[in-house]
C-alpha cells in the first residue's frame, strides 16, 4: 500500500467576501501525478498557493493540509523550513521565475544552502547533479550561465532543478509549460515524468490544457468556480466525463482538424517574395563588426483570397519578424511584399494607405493590444484613419456597432473602456478592429495563446464563420499546432528563419517529410485528448 | 476587495505644497508688512505677537519676507520646470526614431549632464547679469535632459506594446502615435517627475540666491535671507531658522507629493 503523501480536507480560500476556493478535498500518493484542471479563474493557482501558504495577507484560509500525516502549520517561520525541503514549486512564467542577475548554478544552490549547512563546493556539486537531472547537461547547463542566455524551455528546467534540488517528496507545478512552444513543452513534461518515476515523488500538475494531463497525469481533478466538480482516473474522466462541465471542457480541447483544402484557383492576395530580415548584433570590438543575426532568410509564401494559412515553428524561428515585415512595421533587407498584386513594401503616400486597408492584424496580448485610455469605439475606429475621406461621426458609430455585433458583442459596448472586458472579449474587440476596413487578409500573431480552452474554441468558431461570410484570408502565426490544425487549410513550417516545409494541413500532419516538421507533429500528436 | 490603502504621503505632501503655493500667490497682494520697508528703530526684534517671526538687521518683517520669498522660489522653480518640459518632445522623438536622432538626443543629454549647474549659472550671470531670469534659465536647461531621458525611457517601453503596433497597422505615423497613444500614457510619469524637478528647483534657487546668482535685492529670497542671517547667528539665531525651515518644509512637501503621486500612478487598474 502506498502512503498518502498530501491530504487536503475542506480547504477554503476567501479574500474579503469573495470565496475563491470552496471546501476542496484532495489526496496525492507518493509516485503519483495528480492533474488539477479548469478554466482560468477557477481557483487552481489559489489552491496551489494555499498549500504553499504563499497567498496575499488579505486571504483567509480554512481547512487542513497534511503532508505525510503531519498538519502543516500556519506559522511563517515553520513554513520557511517546509518550503523547498518538503514542498517544491514551479511557476508558470519562466521569464520571471529566475533572478536575472544571478548565475543559474548559484540559484539552484541557494535553496540547498538555505536549508543545510554545506560548503560552496558541495552546493555547486549538488546543483550540477540537479541540472543534469533535468537534462541541462554539458555546455547547455553550465553553472556560470545567466538566465538571459537560456531559452524559455531551458529556464523552466532550471526552475524545476531549483524546486527538486532538495528532493522534496511533493512538487507543485503551476502551468509549467503554458508559456513554452510544443518542443520545449515535450522536454519539460518528460523531465517531470522522469522525476516522479525515479524519485517516487508526488506531483500536483496544474494546467488548463487537458492534452497535457492526458499524457502525464494518473488522476485528474476538474475545478470550476472554486470547487472540484469531478475527479478520478485520467482515462475515465477524459473519456467518460460524468459532469456536463467536464464534458464541455473535453469537447473544447479536442478540436477537430480542418478538412481538405479547397482547390485554390482564387487570386493571390498576399505574396511574400524572398524576404530577408537581419538584425545588427553588438560589435565584437572596435574593429570587428559581428555578422548580423538573420532572423528571416529568403522566405517566400503566398495566400489566396479567402484562404486560411498557418505559419508554425518554435519560438525564435523568425515567425514574428516575418509578420512584422509583412505588416510593414519593419523594413526587410531584401525581398518584396505584394498585396492584391501590387508592391506594398515600396508603396508611398496614398497607395500605401489604400494597400494598408487590405491587411490588418490581431496581436498576441489581449491586454497590451489596446490603449487603456481609449473607448472601444475609438479603438475599433482607429483604422478609419486609412480611409481617404473619414466617415461622419454618425456613420462611424454605425459601422463600429456593426463590427461589434459581427464578433458577438453588443453595440452598447462601444462606450466602455478596454479594462472592463475579459481576455476573450478583448480578442473579439481586436478582431472587430481588424475587420473594420474590410481587409482581404488578417494576420494573427499568436492571437489565441493567451486564452483558455473554452474561450479559444469560441473564438475559433467565430473566425471560421467570419472567413466564410466575408471571404477574408487569414495568416495564422502560432507555435500551437492544435489551433493551426483546426483552422488552416495550408501550413508553412518555419525553422531558423527558413520555410522548411509547406503543404495542405492534411498531408503535412499526416506524412510530414522534413525532420523538423516530424518532430513538431510528434510533439503535438502525443498531446491529444482523444 | 478592501478599499485602497490610504495614501498618507499624498495627502501630507499636497497639504504642505498647497500651503506654500497659496502663500506665493497671496504674497504680491498682501503681506502683514511691506517686506521691503526698513526700520532702523525696529531692527532684530525677537518673534512677538506683532512681528510673528521677528525682524531682521534692517528692521524688515521676517514673515513678510518669507512670504515674498516663497513667490520667488515658486516662480523660479515652476518656470524652470516649464523650460524643462522642452525635453518631452525630444524624448518622444528619440524613442520614435531609433538610430541617428535617438543617438543625437541621447548624446546631447549626456553633454548637458556633464556640465556642473553652478558653472553654467556663473557663465550666464556674466552674460545676462545676476537675477531671477538667469536662475530660471540655468535651472531650466538642466531640467531638459532629465525630462528627455524619462520620456524616452517610458516611451520606448510603450512602443513595445501591441497597441502601438496596432496604430501603425492603422496607418498612423510615428509622430502621430507619439501624440495620441504614447504621451497620454506617460502623463502620470511626467507629473511625478515634474514634482521632483520642482523640489530640486526650489533647492537650486535657494543655493543660487545664497551665492548671489539669483533674484537681487530688494526682491526677497530664502537663499539670501540665509546668507545674511549667517553673519548674525550669535546675535539673532532665529533669523536663520525661518528661511531654513521654509526651504525644508517646502521641499519635504514636494517630495512627499511626488512619492504619493508615484504610488498612485503605479497602482494597477
Amino acid at each position: 500500500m502506498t502512503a498518502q503523501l498530501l491530504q487536503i480536507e475542506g480547504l477554503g480560500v476567501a479574500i474579503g467576501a469573495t470565496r475563491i476556493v470552496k471546501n476542496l478535498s484532495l489526496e496525492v500518493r507518493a509516485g503519483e501525478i495528480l492533474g488539477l484542471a479548469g478554466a482560468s479563474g477557477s481557483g487552481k493557482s489559489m489552491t496551489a498557493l494555499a498549500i504553499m501558504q504563499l497567498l496575499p495577507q488579505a486571504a483567509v484560509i480554512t481547512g487542513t493540509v497534511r503532508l505525510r500525516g503531519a498538519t502543516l502549520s500556519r506559522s511563517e517561520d515553520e513554513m520557511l523550513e517546509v518550503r523547498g525541503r518538503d514542498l517544491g514549486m514551479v511557476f508558470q512564467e519562466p521569464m520571471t521565475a529566475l533572478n536575472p542577475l544571478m548565475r543559474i548554478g548559484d540559484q539552484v544552490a541557494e535553496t540547498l544552502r538555505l536549508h543545510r549547512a554545506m560548503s560552496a563546493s558541495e552546493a555547486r556539486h549538488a546543483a550540477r547533479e540537479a541540472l543534469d537531472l533535468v537534462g541541462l547537461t554539458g555546455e547547455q547547463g553550465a553553472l556560470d550561465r545567466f538566465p538571459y542566455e537560456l531559452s524559455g524551455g531551458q529556464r523552466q528546467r532550471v526552475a524545476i532543478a531549483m524546486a527538486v534540488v532538495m528532493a522534496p517528496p511533493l512538487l507543485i507545478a503551476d502551468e509549467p509549460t503554458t508559456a513554452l512552444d510544443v518542443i520545449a513543452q515535450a522536454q519539460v513534461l518528460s523531465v517531470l515524468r522522469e522525476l516522479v518515476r525515479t524519485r517516487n515523488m508526488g506531483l500536483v500538475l496544474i494546467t488548463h490544457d487537458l492534452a497535457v494531463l492526458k499524457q502525464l497525469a494518473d488522476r485528474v481533478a476538474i475545478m470550476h468556480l472554486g470547487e472540484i466538480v469531478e475527479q478520478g482516473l485520467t482515462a475515465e474522466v477524459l473519456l467518460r466525463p460524468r459532469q456536463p462541465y467536464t464534458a464541455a471542457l473535453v469537447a473544447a480541447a479536442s478540436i477537430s482538424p480542418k478538412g481538405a483544402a479547397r482547390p485554390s484557383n482564387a487570386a493571390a492576395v498576399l505574396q511574400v517574395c524572398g524576404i530577408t530580415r537581419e538584425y545588427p548584433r553588438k560589435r565584437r570590438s572596435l574593429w570587428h563588426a559581428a555578422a548580423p543575426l538573420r532572423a528571416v532568410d529568403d522566405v517566400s509564401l503566398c495566400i489566396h483570397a479567402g484562404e486560411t494559412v498557418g505559419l508554425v515553428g518554435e519560438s525564435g524561428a523568425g515567425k514574428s519578424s516575418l509578420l512584422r515585415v509583412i505588416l510593414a512595421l519593419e523594413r526587410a533587407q531584401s525581398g518584396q511584399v505584394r498585396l492584391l498584386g501590387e508592391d506594398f513594401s515600396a508603396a508611398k503616400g496614398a497607395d500605401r494607405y489604400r494597400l494598408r486597408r487590405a491587411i490588418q492584424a490581431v496581436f498576441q496580448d489581449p491586454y497590451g493590444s489596446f490603449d487603456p485610455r481609449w473607448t472601444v469605439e475609438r479603438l475599433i475606429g482607429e483604422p478609419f484613419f486609412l480611409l481617404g475621406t473619414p466617415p461622419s461621426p454618425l456613420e462611424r458609430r454605425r459601422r463600429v456597432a456593426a463590427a461589434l455585433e459581427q464578433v458577438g458583442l453588443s453595440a452598447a459596448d462601444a462606450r466602455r473602456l478596454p479594462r472592463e472586458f475579459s481576455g476573450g472579449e478583448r480578442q473579439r474587440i481586436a478582431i472587430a478592429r481588424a475587420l473594420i476596413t474590410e481587409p482581404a487578409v488578417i494576420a494573427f500573431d499568436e492571437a489565441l495563446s493567451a486564452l483558455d480552452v473554452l474561450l479559444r474554441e469560441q473564438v475559433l468558431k467565430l473566425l471560421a464563420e467570419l472567413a466564410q461570410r466575408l471571404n477574408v484570408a487569414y495568416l495564422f502565426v502560432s507555435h500551437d499546432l492544435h489551433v493551426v490544425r483546426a483552422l488552416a487549410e495550408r501550413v508553412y513550417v518555419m525553422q531558423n528563419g527558413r520555410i522548411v516545409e509547406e503543404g495542405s494541413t492534411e498531408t503535412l500532419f499526416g506524412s510530414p517529410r522534413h525532420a523538423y516538421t516530424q518532430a513538431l507533429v510528434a510533439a503535438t500528436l502525443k498531446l491529444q485528448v482523444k | 476587495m478592501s478599499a485602497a490603502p490610504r495614501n498618507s504621503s499624498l495627502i501630507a505632501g499636497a497639504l504642505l505644497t498647497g500651503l506654500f503655493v497659496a502663500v506665493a500667490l497671496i504674497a504680491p497682494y498682501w503681506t502683514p508688512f511691506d517686506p521691503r520697508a526698513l526700520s532702523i528703530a525696529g531692527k532684530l526684534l525677537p518673534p512677538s505677537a506683532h512681528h510673528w517671526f521677528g525682524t531682521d538687521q534692517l528692521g524688515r518683517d521676517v514673515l513678510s519676507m518669507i512670504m515674498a520669498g516663497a513667490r520667488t522660489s515658486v516662480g523660479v522653480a515652476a518656470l524652470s520646470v516649464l523650460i524643462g518640459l522642452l525635453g518631452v518632445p525630444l524624448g518622444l522623438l528619440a524613442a520614435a526614431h531609433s538610430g541617428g536622432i535617438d543617438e543625437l538626443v541621447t548624446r546631447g543629454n549626456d553633454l548637458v549632464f556633464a556640465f556642473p549647474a553652478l558653472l553654467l549659472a556663473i557663465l550666464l550671470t556674466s552674460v545676462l547679469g545676476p537675477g531671477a531670469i538667469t536662475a530660471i534659465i540655468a535651472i531650466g536647461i538642466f531640467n531638459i535632459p532629465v525630462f528627455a531621458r524619462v520620456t524616452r525611457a517610458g516611451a520606448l517601453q510603450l512602443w513595445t506594446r501591441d497597441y502601438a503596433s496596432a496604430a501603425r497597422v492603422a496607418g498612423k505615423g510615428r509622430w502621430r502615435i507619439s501624440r495620441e497613444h504614447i504621451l497620454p500614457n506617460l502623463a502620470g510619469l511626467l507629473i511625478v517627475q515634474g514634482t521632483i524637478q520642482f523640489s530640486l528647483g526650489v533647492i537650486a534657487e535657494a543655493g543660487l540666491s545664497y551665492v548671489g546668482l539669483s533674484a537681487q535685492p530688494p526682491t526677497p529670497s530664502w537663499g539670501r535671507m540665509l546668507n545674511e542671517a549667517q553673519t548674525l547667528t550669535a546675535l539673532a539665531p532665529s533669523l536663520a531658522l525661518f528661511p531654513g525651515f521654509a526651504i525644508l518644509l517646502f521641499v519635504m512637501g514636494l517630495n512627499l507629493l511626488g512619492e504619493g503621486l508615484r504610488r498612485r500612478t503605479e497602482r494597477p487598474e
Side-chain angles (χ1 to χ4, degrees), chain A residues 72-326:
Chain A
L72 286 186
S73 146
R74 287 277 158 77
S75 113
E76 178 66 18
D77 286 346
E78 286 171 45
M79 277 311 286
L80 282 179
E81 289 287 308
V82 172
R83 286 185 213 129
R85 189 189 63 198
D86 300 332
L87 284 173
M89 184 150 181
V90 178
F91 295 93
Q92 171 170 358
E93 199 43 77
M95 297 301 158
T96 53
L98 302 178
N99 180 344
L101 297 178
M102 231 170 135
R103 296 175 195 279
I104 58 171
D106 296 337
Q107 302 205 37
V108 177
E110 189 183 29
T111 322
L112 278 172
R113 303 198 69 192
L114 280 176
H115 286 278
R116 278 187 212 146
M118 139 179 292
S119 75
S121 68
E122 278 172 328
R124 281 181 76 80
H125 188 71
R128 177 72 268 153
E129 279 179 357
L131 285 172
D132 287 342
L133 201 65
V134 296
L136 288 173
T137 47
E139 183 69 3
Q140 258 195 348
L143 294 179
D144 58 357
R145 293 183 91 190
F146 282 102
Y148 73 86
E149 298 175 89
L150 307 178
S151 71
Q154 290 172 334
R155 287 187 214 197
Q156 196 61 300
R157 283 187 273 165
V158 172
I160 294 174
M162 283 167 68
V164 300
V165 68
M166 291 285 294
L170 182 75
L171 181 67
I172 300 173
D174 188 1
E175 304 271 10
T177 59
T178 307
L180 306 178
D181 61 60
V182 266
I183 289 185
Q185 179 177 46
Q187 285 167 344
V188 167
L189 292 180
S190 82
V191 161
L192 286 175
R193 184 177 16 218
E194 205 51 38
L195 279 169
V196 169
R197 197 176 297 157
T198 55
R199 288 195 169 172
N200 199 30
M201 189 176 73
L203 172 64
V204 178
L205 181 65
I206 296 174
T207 179
H208 69 262
D209 192 342
L210 294 183
V212 166
L213 294 184
K214 165 86 193 285
Q215 201 198 348
L216 217 60
D218 302 307
R219 284 190 306 120
V220 291
I222 309 285
M223 263 187 106
H224 181 47
L225 302 177
E227 283 174 294
I228 290 186
V229 290
E230 183 165 357
Q231 61 174 314
L233 294 174
T234 307
E236 258 170 50
V237 173
L238 293 188
L239 290 179
R240 285 179 292 280
R242 273 165 303 176
Q243 296 296 323
Y245 182 75
T246 316
L249 266 188
V250 172
S254 38
I255 311 163
S256 54
K258 182 91 178 177
R262 295 172 259 171
S264 190
N265 44 16
V269 286
L270 173 71
Q271 288 162 287
V272 173
C273 318
I275 290 289
T276 296
R277 173 80 176 110
E278 294 176 336
Y279 293 95
R281 264 194 287 213
K282 210 174 169 176
R283 301 183 74 87
R284 277 183 300 163
S285 74
L286 201 54
W287 288 277
H288 299 280
L293 178 77
R294 188 165 277 206
V296 181
D297 190 358
D298 191 20
V299 165
S300 301
L301 54 84
C302 176
I303 298 175
H304 302 99
E307 192 184 28
T308 299
V309 172
L311 177 65
V312 299
E314 57 189 350
S315 1
K319 306 185 302 283
S320 293
S321 300
L322 176 62
L323 190 66
R324 292 184 72 80
V325 170
I326 292 175

Side-chain angles (χ1 to χ4, degrees), chain A residues 498-516:
Chain A
R498 290 168 174 276
I499 301 272
V500 294
E501 188 165 355
E502 182 261 325
S504 75
T505 309
E506 214 172 8
T507 36
L508 199 118
F509 280 88
S511 49
R513 278 166 298 155
H514 192 274
Y516 178 68

Side-chain angles (χ1 to χ4, degrees), chain A residues 15-16 18 324 327-330 353 356 359-361 363-374 378-379 382-386 419 426 433, chain B residues 1-2 158-174 176-177 179-189 265 268-269:
Chain A
I15 294 181
T18 323
R324 292 184 72 80
L327 291 169
L329 295 176
E330 282 176 20
Y353 282 79
R356 230 192 220 299
I359 186 162
Q360 288 292 308
F363 293 96
Q364 175 169 15
D365 179 6
Y367 295 89
S369 289
F370 305 104
D371 188 328
R373 290 164 181 269
W374 284 29
R378 214 175 151 200
L379 286 166
E382 194 170 26
F384 281 143
F385 183 74
L386 289 166
R419 65 159 174 267
R426 285 182 201 218
R433 173 166 64 184
Chain B
M1 293 292 283
S2 60
L158 292 182
W159 272 107
T160 66
R161 298 281 172 89
D162 282 344
Y163 63 75
S165 300
R168 291 188 61 203
V169 170
K172 289 184 172 167
R174 288 176 172 278
R176 198 183 175 97
I177 296 171
R179 272 189 296 130
E180 291 186 355
H181 289 290
I182 309 287
L183 187 58
N185 281 298
L186 285 177
L189 190 70
T265 49
E269 286 170 8

